[in-house]
Amino acid sequence: MTRTVSNTLLRLFRVAIASVLIAGSAAQAQDVTLTSRDGTIELTGYLLTFDGEFYRVDTEFGILTIDSSGVSCDGPGCPSLGPFVAELTISGAHNMGAVLFPALVEGFALRKGYALKREEIQGVGTLYSLLEGGTGQEVARFTIKLTTSSEGFADLLSQQADMVLSMRQATTRERSLARDAGLGDLRIARQSRVAALDALVPIVSPGNPVTKISISQLAAIYAGKIQNWSELGGEDAPITPYMMDIEEGFGPVFMQDVIAAQGATLSDRVVIHPTSRTLADAIARDPFGIAMTTYTQRGSGEVVELSGGCGFSVHASRASIKSEDYPLTMPMFLYLPERRLPQVGREFLSYLRTDSAQFVTRRAGFVDQALTRQSIRAQGDRMANAVSTAGEEVTLEELQRMVRTLNGHERLSISFRFEGGSTLLDAPSRSNVALLAEALESGRFDGKQLSFIGFSDGQGAAEQNRNLSERRARAVRDQVLAQLEAFDPARVQMLIDAFGEAMPMACDDSAWGRSVNRRVEIWVN
């Protein structure tokens, strides 16, 4: 694990290092030798990075992070004595690196008053040089490598990247390798965050009469088990399924969350296209085609709603994607190693949380994470679902209590969801904890009342579900409070309530429907 060594901590290594020196172990020629100011301690090793304040050196004691103010540096690997230029490499998913992050780097430079020089590097990506506005002095270089999610993680593990852009969560193996390499735990919120949102949507040619489809039917189409539109209530015509490369972008997510989750395998009838643009063009030309693409790159295709056997349907929209009520919402992740970035890198990460960055994200065509509110009047469909699906265990009195509780409140645009059968938040929700905590610390909700409202799926007894949803609401509230550093809880009233299975978002007859229903919402008054 990477460690930060101050002058005091350096002294803790004195005995161990001195014994090595006294024993006459001649240090081999290395990139750098760092010597304490009093000359009593030396560390030799390979310089990995220097951020203008700290050296990061691979030594015989492991990878150490050392305050440059406490040591002098000798050797060919020592940084230049000239003005420090921060070097940051961002590597990963092409979809994020080609459009979203160039826009964010440019927005950051504009916000900080830097002049910007952009250079396209053949076969690599984009290099941005940030220059002081008055002097033209270069202060930072951002290199955005257009690779894949997997290659981004490989670059991080090999010390070739400072940030990873990923269209999926880090795998168990990638997390394990990162821990072994001293890069920390990629699962925790400090090292992973959601940069933007998108969603997988089925699209058809305008005029196709099929406007709703279930996840199981979708999987059956791509498995070759449903081959004619008449089986879905459409015309008597063969279905041509299209999608992009299953190894890139959201392909692996579709294969895992739709195909594999339904116990199916992909049919050889599926037509693969290299880009989302050619995919959208194919649907525009084929009146009997269906394609899996992203919400932000759907072109002129008609988005088909996802439905279930109970009659519920969920429409993909910016609002339903932002709240993750749409079941195939796809977070776009930014992963970081557990090490100190140069100051400009830390400022860039802080910028990504700002309203300015969220505006840039929207302008770039993606779904942002800016906190917005929706009135109870806009919850008509959900309230109707609550009434129509209320079983014997969900009483009229409980439904009336829910309406009274939420009346006059507005629903916040983020939700919190959980790993199956637990109160452990899933990866996007862990990122949402930080978002809400930052909004509270900024004073956005001062003088307001925030209600953490828990809901559940309909599996099991209603009273047990209500109790579980209350525990989940409390767990979310407690995690948000734990994130707050300089915050007086008296500024905002935070309440806990729960209604269990009383207001479902989707049908309980599928795993995805149940996962959508298990949630904690934030209501503001």
Side-chain angles (χ1 to χ4, degrees):
M1 182 176 178
T2 302
R3 287 151 283 181
T4 300
V5 184
S6 64
N7 290 339
T8 300
L9 290 177
L10 275 173
R11 286 194 290 271
L12 297 178
F13 288 101
R14 181 176 298 167
V15 174
I17 297 176
S19 65
V20 173
L21 296 175
I22 293 171
S25 297
Q28 297 179 353
Q30 304 280 345
D31 282 343
V32 297
T33 297
L34 302 180
T35 306
S36 62
R37 295 301 183 189
D38 60 9
T40 61
I41 184 171
E42 283 187 349
L43 289 173
T44 59
Y46 294 100
L47 181 66
L48 298 176
T49 59
F50 176 64
D51 65 6
E53 300 174 84
F54 289 83
Y55 296 106
R56 197 163 163 273
V57 185
D58 189 358
T59 75
E60 61 179 309
F61 305 100
I63 296 176
L64 304 179
T65 301
I66 301 170
D67 188 344
S68 63
S69 65
V71 295
S72 60
C73 183
D74 295 300
C78 291
S80 168
L81 295 178
F84 172 71
V85 178
E87 298 270 3
L88 288 166
T89 300
I90 305 171
S91 177
H94 191 284
N95 285 14
M96 300 174 69
V99 178
L100 177 59
F101 269 74
L104 289 170
V105 170
E106 291 172 12
F108 168 71
L110 180 64
R111 174 116 176 174
K112 299 293 289 186
Y114 293 124
L116 201 63
K117 177 181 176 183
R118 173 172 175 157
E119 178 184 351
E120 299 301 326
I121 305 175
Q122 186 68 30
V124 176
T126 306
L127 171 63
Y128 282 101
S129 296
L130 276 60
L131 314 172
E132 288 284 4
T135 65
Q137 173 65 48
E138 187 176 32
V139 297
R141 300 187 191 102
F142 282 70
T143 302
I144 302 176
K145 296 176 64 175
L146 302 180
T147 57
T148 66
S149 300
S150 296
E151 290 179 43
F153 285 113
D155 282 343
L156 183 72
L157 293 169
S158 62
Q159 309 285 342
Q160 300 300 307
D162 302 291
M163 304 179 191
V164 177
L165 308 180
S166 180
M167 309 288 270
R168 57 169 176 78
Q169 294 185 51
T171 65
T172 301
R173 176 171 173 75
E174 287 164 343
R175 295 201 308 269
S176 176
L177 290 172
R179 282 195 300 270
D180 292 344
L183 300 177
D185 185 357
L186 296 182
R187 185 181 175 85
I188 64 175
R190 281 199 315 274
Q191 295 186 235
S192 66
R193 63 172 66 182
V194 175
L197 297 164
D198 207 337
L200 271 175
V201 295
I203 60 171
V204 295
S205 177
N208 190 315
V210 176
T211 59
K212 297 181 181 179
I213 194 171
S214 70
I215 291 283
S216 59
Q217 289 172 330
L218 189 61
I221 290 172
Y222 279 84
K225 298 177 181 178
I226 294 179
Q227 299 187 13
N228 195 289
W229 284 109
S230 61
E231 299 177 67
L232 302 171
E235 298 183 36
D236 182 11
I239 302 174
T240 304
Y242 299 91
M243 68 177 295
M244 290 178 61
D245 188 347
I246 62 174
E247 301 295 333
E248 302 295 338
F250 288 133
V253 180
F254 176 73
M255 293 300 296
Q256 175 182 316
D257 292 356
V258 178
I259 300 299
Q262 295 294 321
T265 56
L266 197 67
S267 168
D268 57 10
R269 297 180 64 252
V270 177
V271 180
I272 304 296
H273 275 261
T275 67
S276 57
R277 177 173 295 180
T278 62
L279 198 67
D281 290 344
I283 288 298
R285 295 191 304 268
D286 184 353
F288 303 116
I290 184 170
M292 289 306 302
T293 187
T294 63
Y295 176 79
T296 58
Q297 297 176 316
R298 63 195 183 278
S300 61
E302 292 284 347
V303 176
V304 181
E305 291 186 1
L306 297 180
S307 64
C310 64
F312 287 8
S313 60
V314 185
H315 178 67
S317 66
R318 288 189 174 272
S320 65
I321 293 170
K322 184 180 289 192
S323 63
E324 298 179 67
D325 292 341
Y326 181 74
L328 294 182
T329 294
M330 299 298 159
M332 308 172 80
F333 292 98
L334 175 66
Y335 283 94
L336 307 162
E338 188 179 48
R339 66 169 180 252
R340 183 186 179 90
L341 292 178
Q343 182 177 348
V344 69
R346 302 195 299 272
E347 291 173 346
F348 178 66
L349 291 177
S350 297
Y351 165 76
L352 295 181
R353 295 288 201 198
T354 65
D355 288 341
S356 174
Q358 301 311 313
F359 175 76
V360 170
T361 298
R362 289 196 300 275
R363 289 292 299 269
F366 297 89
V367 178
D368 66 277
Q369 296 179 282
L371 298 181
T372 57
R373 305 182 193 181
Q374 194 176 54
S375 73
I376 194 171
R377 296 185 182 88
Q379 311 295 315
D381 288 345
R382 298 207 305 156
M383 293 298 181
N385 290 342
V387 174
S388 65
T389 62
E392 294 181 358
E393 293 184 281
V394 181
T395 65
L396 175 61
E397 288 77 10
E398 182 69 354
L399 293 175
Q400 290 174 334
R401 185 177 77 86
M402 181 176 67
V403 173
R404 287 195 303 271
T405 299
L406 301 181
N407 190 35
H409 291 60
E410 295 177 308
R411 183 189 176 192
L412 210 58
S413 56
I414 57 173
S415 300
F416 300 85
R417 289 184 166 82
F418 304 85
E419 297 179 354
S422 74
T423 56
L424 297 175
L425 291 172
D426 63 16
S429 297
R430 292 193 293 270
S431 182
N432 286 344
V433 166
L435 278 177
L436 184 55
E438 289 181 11
L440 286 164
E441 288 189 325
S442 72
R444 183 172 300 185
F445 299 111
D446 282 4
K448 299 291 185 181
Q449 174 184 293
L450 258 60
S451 296
F452 292 73
I453 309 292
F455 296 94
S456 73
D457 59 40
Q459 302 293 298
E463 184 61 22
Q464 292 176 343
N465 287 333
R466 200 204 71 79
N467 291 337
L468 176 59
S469 61
E470 182 176 339
R471 289 200 301 273
R472 286 171 170 162
R474 193 175 306 280
V476 172
R477 193 273 312 270
D478 291 348
Q479 289 193 47
V480 171
L481 288 174
Q483 285 273 334
L484 299 173
E485 296 179 359
F487 178 76
D488 180 1
R491 289 161 52 186
V492 180
Q493 185 180 12
M494 298 188 191
L495 304 180
I496 300 294
D497 211 332
F499 299 100
E501 59 194 67
M503 190 159 61
M505 298 292 304
C507 302
D508 275 332
D509 59 0
S510 65
W512 70 266
R514 292 189 292 273
S515 68
V516 168
N517 290 335
R518 295 189 295 264
R519 68 199 186 278
V520 171
E521 299 177 356
I522 310 299
W523 288 73
V524 184
N525 184 21

